[in-house]
Amino acid sequence: MSDERIINILKEFLRRPVFGSLTRYVKEREFFSQIDTVIDESISAKREVFGSSVDGLKTVRVFDTGDLDTLVVPDRIRFDENDELHFQYNCKDKRYLKVEMSEKLRHIIGANCDSYLNTKYLRDFNGPFYRSNTSTKKQYYFLDYQIIEASLRKGPEKCVQTISVPYSDPVFEKTLNPENVNYMVLALWMVEHLMLHFLLEAHNQQELTWIREILYSRETNGRENLKTSLKSLLRSWKTDIQIQFITTMDLLYFKNETFQQLLTDSSARFHSYFPDNLKCEPHGHLSMDQVPAIKCSGWPRPAKDWVIRKRKWPPTTIIDEVLATGYELVAKSPPNENDPDRYFFMSFSGAETILCNSLPDDLQNAYYILKSGIKSLKKSRAHVCGLKMFHLKTSMLWVAENTDPNAFEKNNPCTNVRLILQYLRDCFRKKNLPSYFLPECNLLGDMKGSDVENIIKLLDLLYTDPAVCVYVAVEMEWIYTKNTIPYESFLKIQEPGYFEQFTWNEKIKFFAIAMAKADNYPIYDMMDNMSKVAAESFYVPFVDHLFSITNRLSKRYVITRDQLKPLYVFMKCVQGTEMELFNVIDDSLPAGFLSPEDGTLPENILNQYGDYNQGHSITLNETVPAMFKLRLKIYGNIFHVICLKLYSAVVDMTFQFADDDAMYIVQFLRRLKEEFSCSHEDIEDILHYLLFFCHYTRLRYHSLETGKQILRSMREFFENGHFLMTLYFSPMETFPKPVVSEISVVEMLQNLFC
């Protein structure tokens, strides 16, 4: 293939935003930050995102969600230039160091005879580094109540702790562990629940604030924080819908006969090197890497030369900004170290973020091309796993430093790609890739010879034909698309002109319908029976099977007064304050909650798709919140019908349901009615009060159908009402957790309302 044809391919690859500029608008940070709120405990630390999510070099496509990389920086400890004088650097690799114990450290961790700081203090989120600085004794704490199954992987040899949520792609769902959460259901639930919580707080703000002040002596800004989180996720969904459409249109462009003809030689070269077909495995986990880190101001002694060495880039202003941001220490020891718990590792993640965001645009584009191809290849080919994206980034930084910044603009994309590849290839041939900040440290020192040889062969292939990166990226995305949408839909979009025949407004509505019907919600039945959707009778068929009548004598459950009392007190509290906990689903978001500009991609991207106009932004702005509101309303209607079924069984003593959860709830409410002389209206009220809790625990029982989820959640609330009722008044402002306080919440509310 001639360089001219390679250049044309690379230019087209960069012109279409799917693999380059579009990926910068993927809002995974907002999604992950909410996941973190759901599954993580409260610690006295600041979380800082680093890596490709913030350094302007994101190229990850949908087939590889990647991890979100975060630093967890404790509030109580920070090192400065005076502390750095007591760092003892490893003579073989000065990225590693020991920290001498000092009075500052002993003041935090207590009396300690060790000569050096142990990394366990940084790793342990329950340890002294992460305790609050305040001396005021906390009157309450949050229970570790898990609503999403998550795991934490950590080890003494690793500086990272990975929080992982098992999930499945929609089409792959049946081939993976049935316990995995459907990714789409997870993403939809987060927005739905924030919306429900916001509406509940907005409707009952005065009452909830008053109760929280009485119970916990704490004022909260829950409504504003919920509003911020909800707006962030709704904006992300708007952006994601546009990305989905553009991805499809760009993929169809890259797979058309004309472009594929250009890639013929690249395809042949690739398959001569890799005879097997590309493979794209389904997702299995959604993970966030959290790296405990100590912030350090100033600049470390071993890296002083970086400040003064001769260079063509970056400019002095950027160097000053890097020095001002400092560096971090993470808990990581040298390979095969006999005393691993005494060693820390210098990280320059903040500095790298500043540098990467200031790179010349054309060099960034070259990196996009390489990363798109190599990362795609790594997903399919295990024997190139020794090549890391950090190797690629380090090479790019060295090329940037040693090249006139104006040269990249004058070069064509092929030349810029080869500049990075040439530097990286030379380093692998010498088996020495210098660390960017500490050149005497070799990033390849521990790599196996066989891995080095395989990587050199790959780099030779890419240098000869950089368009191989385009071929691999397009093919992997196409394979993923084929495997994660219904096969009939995949065939349809390949029909000439099929996808293009629909306007943006039509595509937006199709997408909204597809999202709204997740969880087997009856969207198509509703569209066919619009005159009936407001009637309770429409939803009865979806839950009737849960309430089959049995003639056999029901099991008698042991239900104690101690279990009944919290539910009675909770009911009296809600009635006494006249809070509304069910009909809030009929409330609307405030006017102007989102503007058409929120989450809209830049014009320079959208203008490449000629039929897009400002009116479509308005449609998108109206459709996305409406889709989530519709799902909430459907859930609320199913919930309401279940409440009526249960209420009827409580009132009519002859009802005996075959479902175990339903019968437990009925017996519980019969006992409650008898023990506390509750009226029929009280029973109906308390059932409907549980809407928020049942929706809150949806993912806890995600493997069950919606109606069964509701019954299981109701039963759990009745069994453990003494602490689960506190979710409604919890000081935690988004995705609250149950609260235990020094004074019994049940007793305090009983004194107020009973």
Side-chain angles (χ1 to χ4, degrees):
M1 177 180 284
S2 68
D3 278 3
E4 183 180 352
R5 296 184 72 188
I6 294 174
I7 292 167
N8 289 335
I9 289 171
L10 299 186
K11 284 183 176 179
E12 282 300 289
F13 187 75
L14 293 171
R15 186 179 69 82
R16 309 290 295 200
V18 60
F19 292 101
S21 58
L22 190 64
T23 57
R24 305 177 205 182
Y25 301 96
V26 175
K27 302 296 184 182
E28 66 177 15
R29 290 169 60 194
E30 284 83 351
F31 181 71
F32 271 105
S33 67
Q34 299 304 330
I35 282 286
D36 181 44
T37 306
V38 173
I39 64 181
D40 201 15
E41 60 184 330
S42 179
I43 57 175
S44 183
K46 181 181 179 183
R47 192 178 299 281
E48 298 179 3
V49 178
F50 70 96
S52 62
S53 296
V54 291
D55 66 11
L57 300 177
K58 186 171 183 60
T59 60
V60 170
R61 288 301 314 133
V62 70
F63 62 80
D64 178 14
T65 57
D67 298 324
L68 186 72
D69 299 317
T70 64
L71 296 177
V72 181
V73 182
D75 296 332
R76 298 192 68 192
I77 181 66
R78 185 184 181 98
F79 291 138
D80 56 28
E81 289 181 319
N82 292 325
D83 297 308
E84 196 266 343
L85 295 174
H86 300 284
F87 293 173
Q88 291 190 8
Y89 295 98
N90 185 295
C91 59
K92 295 180 180 179
D93 189 337
K94 292 185 178 180
R95 294 175 298 169
Y96 298 96
L97 59 105
K98 293 181 180 180
V99 178
E100 292 182 359
M101 287 298 294
S102 64
E103 288 304 313
K104 174 195 282 191
L105 291 169
R106 289 190 175 94
H107 178 72
I108 296 172
I109 65 180
N112 192 299
C113 298
D114 289 348
S115 300
Y116 300 101
L117 178 64
N118 194 308
T119 56
K120 69 180 181 182
Y121 294 111
L122 183 58
R123 288 195 181 100
D124 183 9
F125 288 159
N126 296 313
F129 279 2
Y130 299 93
R131 292 175 191 154
S132 173
N133 280 313
T134 178
S135 59
T136 305
K137 185 178 179 182
K138 206 170 186 180
Q139 296 177 334
Y140 59 87
Y141 63 90
F142 299 110
L143 292 177
D144 185 19
Y145 182 77
Q146 198 172 70
I147 55 176
I148 301 177
E149 181 186 354
S151 62
L152 178 65
R153 303 193 309 272
K154 55 184 177 180
E157 75 288 349
K158 293 187 69 177
C159 63
V160 64
Q161 301 181 8
T162 302
I163 296 177
S164 181
V165 177
Y167 78 96
S168 304
D169 292 312
V171 176
F172 279 130
E173 185 179 13
K174 294 179 181 178
T175 67
L176 290 182
N177 188 332
E179 295 302 312
N180 287 11
V181 179
N182 182 303
Y183 176 78
M184 189 54 64
V185 172
L186 168 61
L188 290 166
W189 169 82
M190 291 182 68
V191 185
E192 291 170 40
H193 195 69
L194 280 175
M195 184 177 288
L196 175 60
H197 197 175
F198 174 79
L199 295 174
L200 187 146
E201 289 279 343
H203 197 108
N204 304 286
Q205 184 178 17
Q206 186 174 352
E207 296 84 357
L208 288 170
T209 300
W210 178 67
I211 292 175
R212 288 177 183 133
E213 288 178 356
I214 291 173
L215 295 178
Y216 312 116
S217 303
R218 173 175 172 175
E219 294 184 17
T220 64
N221 196 26
R223 184 183 177 192
E224 285 305 309
N225 290 331
L226 282 166
K227 180 179 180 180
T228 300
S229 297
L230 179 57
K231 286 184 71 171
S232 175
L233 285 179
L234 287 173
R235 281 195 299 265
S236 298
W237 270 91
K238 288 176 60 178
T239 302
D240 188 61
I241 289 174
Q242 297 166 80
I243 288 174
Q244 295 295 328
F245 296 157
I246 291 174
T247 297
T248 302
M249 287 185 275
D250 281 1
L251 270 180
L252 291 173
Y253 173 83
F254 287 130
K255 291 295 290 186
N256 71 38
E257 186 176 349
T258 303
F259 193 83
Q260 286 295 301
Q261 188 65 38
L262 285 175
L263 283 174
T264 299
D265 289 349
S266 300
S267 170
R269 279 200 176 97
F270 171 79
H271 287 291
S272 67
Y273 184 77
F274 293 113
D276 298 332
N277 291 326
L278 287 165
K279 298 177 182 178
C280 183
E281 296 298 325
H283 295 129
H285 287 85
L286 185 70
S287 57
M288 176 173 65
D289 289 345
Q290 49 184 17
V291 182
I294 300 173
K295 276 286 186 180
C296 302
S297 57
W299 199 246
R301 284 169 287 154
K304 291 292 186 184
D305 286 348
W306 179 84
V307 182
I308 59 174
R309 71 189 183 207
K310 292 183 179 180
R311 53 163 55 89
K312 297 177 181 178
W313 176 93
T316 304
T317 53
I318 299 299
I319 293 174
D320 291 342
E321 191 177 346
V322 167
L323 296 178
T325 201
Y327 58 105
E328 304 85 31
L329 298 186
V330 300
K332 182 180 179 182
S333 65
N336 305 315
E337 172 58 42
N338 294 326
D339 192 15
D341 291 335
R342 296 293 186 270
Y343 270 101
F344 292 83
F345 179 82
M346 272 195 298
S347 166
F348 296 92
S349 60
E352 289 169 6
T353 297
I354 293 169
L355 290 170
C356 291
N357 276 299
S358 65
L359 286 165
D361 289 344
D362 292 281
L363 184 60
Q364 283 190 349
N365 287 339
Y367 181 85
Y368 293 146
I369 293 168
L370 283 170
K371 186 177 178 181
S372 295
I374 293 173
K375 201 167 182 68
S376 300
L377 192 58
K378 283 168 65 66
K379 287 293 289 184
S380 183
R381 306 292 169 185
H383 65 273
V384 296
C385 62
L387 180 61
K388 302 182 185 307
M389 291 303 106
F390 187 65
H391 298 152
L392 191 63
K393 182 192 288 188
T394 300
S395 299
M396 177 182 59
L397 290 174
W398 278 115
V399 170
E401 179 168 306
N402 295 316
T403 308
D404 180 353
N406 296 318
F408 301 111
E409 186 177 1
K410 297 174 184 177
N411 293 339
N412 61 61
C414 184
T415 299
N416 289 332
V417 167
R418 283 175 172 159
L419 284 173
I420 300 174
L421 285 171
Q422 183 62 56
Y423 183 89
L424 187 58
R425 188 170 61 167
D426 289 346
C427 289
F428 270 91
R429 284 173 175 163
K430 294 181 291 187
K431 202 185 175 185
N432 184 9
L433 174 58
S435 166
Y436 181 66
F437 293 101
L438 297 165
E440 66 272 23
C441 298
N442 178 13
L443 302 183
L444 307 181
D446 298 314
M447 186 172 288
K448 296 178 181 178
S450 58
D451 287 341
V452 171
E453 291 175 6
N454 282 328
I455 291 169
I456 290 173
K457 290 178 182 177
L458 172 64
L459 297 177
D460 286 341
L461 169 67
L462 299 182
Y463 186 89
T464 301
D465 186 356
V468 167
C469 291
V470 176
Y471 170 75
V472 175
V474 170
E475 285 304 302
M476 283 289 282
E477 185 74 17
W478 189 249
I479 293 168
Y480 181 83
T481 302
K482 177 181 179 181
N483 289 339
T484 53
I485 67 174
Y487 186 63
E488 297 77 11
S489 300
F490 182 71
L491 293 178
K492 275 287 185 186
I493 64 171
Q494 296 179 74
E495 294 177 7
Y498 176 80
F499 194 77
E500 292 80 0
Q501 71 177 311
F502 301 110
T503 66
W504 273 84
N505 279 352
E506 289 173 327
K507 293 171 186 172
I508 290 167
K509 290 175 182 176
F510 293 158
F511 187 90
I513 291 170
M515 296 302 98
K517 70 184 184 68
D519 278 329
N520 297 314
Y521 279 4
I523 299 300
Y524 293 133
D525 288 340
M526 294 175 70
M527 294 169 66
D528 293 338
N529 299 277
M530 292 302 295
S531 61
K532 302 178 181 179
V533 294
E536 294 168 5
S537 58
F538 179 82
Y539 301 92
V540 169
F542 299 102
V543 300
D544 249 355
H545 63 286
L546 298 171
F547 296 96
S548 57
I549 306 298
T550 180
N551 294 322
R552 63 181 174 83
L553 188 64
S554 295
K555 175 184 176 182
R556 298 294 297 175
Y557 299 95
V558 177
I559 299 171
T560 66
R561 183 178 173 85
D562 286 342
Q563 288 177 299
L564 297 168
K565 179 180 173 181
L567 271 294
Y568 176 73
V569 171
F570 175 64
M571 178 191 70
K572 298 300 287 185
C573 170
V574 177
Q575 291 175 341
T577 54
E578 298 183 348
M579 282 192 286
E580 178 55 69
L581 301 185
F582 177 72
N583 289 320
V584 293
I585 58 173
D586 293 324
D587 292 352
S588 300
L589 294 175
F593 189 81
L594 283 179
S595 71
E597 294 76 27
D598 286 332
T600 300
L601 292 172
E603 287 187 5
N604 67 318
I605 291 179
L606 294 173
N607 286 343
Q608 295 188 46
Y609 306 91
D611 61 337
Y612 193 95
N613 61 52
Q614 200 168 21
H616 301 138
S617 296
I618 295 173
T619 301
L620 188 63
N621 197 60
E622 294 170 347
T623 303
V624 171
M627 181 262 290
F628 286 104
K629 191 69 191 303
L630 173 63
R631 285 182 57 83
L632 264 184
K633 187 64 179 176
I634 293 171
Y635 182 86
N637 287 340
I638 294 172
F639 177 88
H640 174 64
V641 169
I642 288 175
C643 289
L644 295 182
K645 292 276 189 181
L646 294 169
Y647 167 77
S648 298
V650 174
V651 174
D652 187 342
M653 301 293 287
T654 64
F655 273 88
Q656 302 289 338
F657 294 133
D659 184 88
D660 189 58
D661 291 328
M663 208 56 234
Y664 177 90
I665 295 166
V666 169
Q667 288 188 26
F668 187 100
L669 292 173
R670 286 172 180 170
R671 283 285 314 279
L672 183 71
K673 183 172 180 288
E674 176 185 337
E675 189 80 23
F676 291 96
S677 301
C678 295
S679 66
H680 291 168
E681 184 180 7
D682 290 338
I683 299 302
E684 189 172 0
D685 282 349
I686 200 167
L687 283 167
H688 284 84
Y689 292 162
L690 300 188
L691 172 68
F692 175 78
F693 176 77
C694 290
H695 195 276
Y696 173 81
T697 51
R698 284 206 68 190
L699 296 186
R700 190 172 170 89
Y701 304 116
H702 67 87
S703 60
L704 304 175
E705 60 178 296
T706 301
K708 186 62 177 172
Q709 289 172 7
I710 291 171
L711 291 175
R712 184 64 53 83
S713 294
M714 284 183 171
R715 177 172 181 170
E716 184 184 8
F717 193 93
F718 289 161
E719 290 176 329
N720 302 283
H722 63 288
F723 72 87
L724 292 179
M725 63 180 284
T726 64
L727 284 163
Y728 287 77
F729 319 119
S730 175
M732 189 175 285
E733 294 161 346
T734 56
F735 302 107
K737 292 192 176 182
V739 186
V740 173
S741 57
E742 292 180 346
I743 303 174
S744 167
V745 170
V746 174
E747 297 299 328
M748 291 184 70
L749 294 179
Q750 182 182 19
N751 293 336
L752 286 170
F753 298 106
C754 299

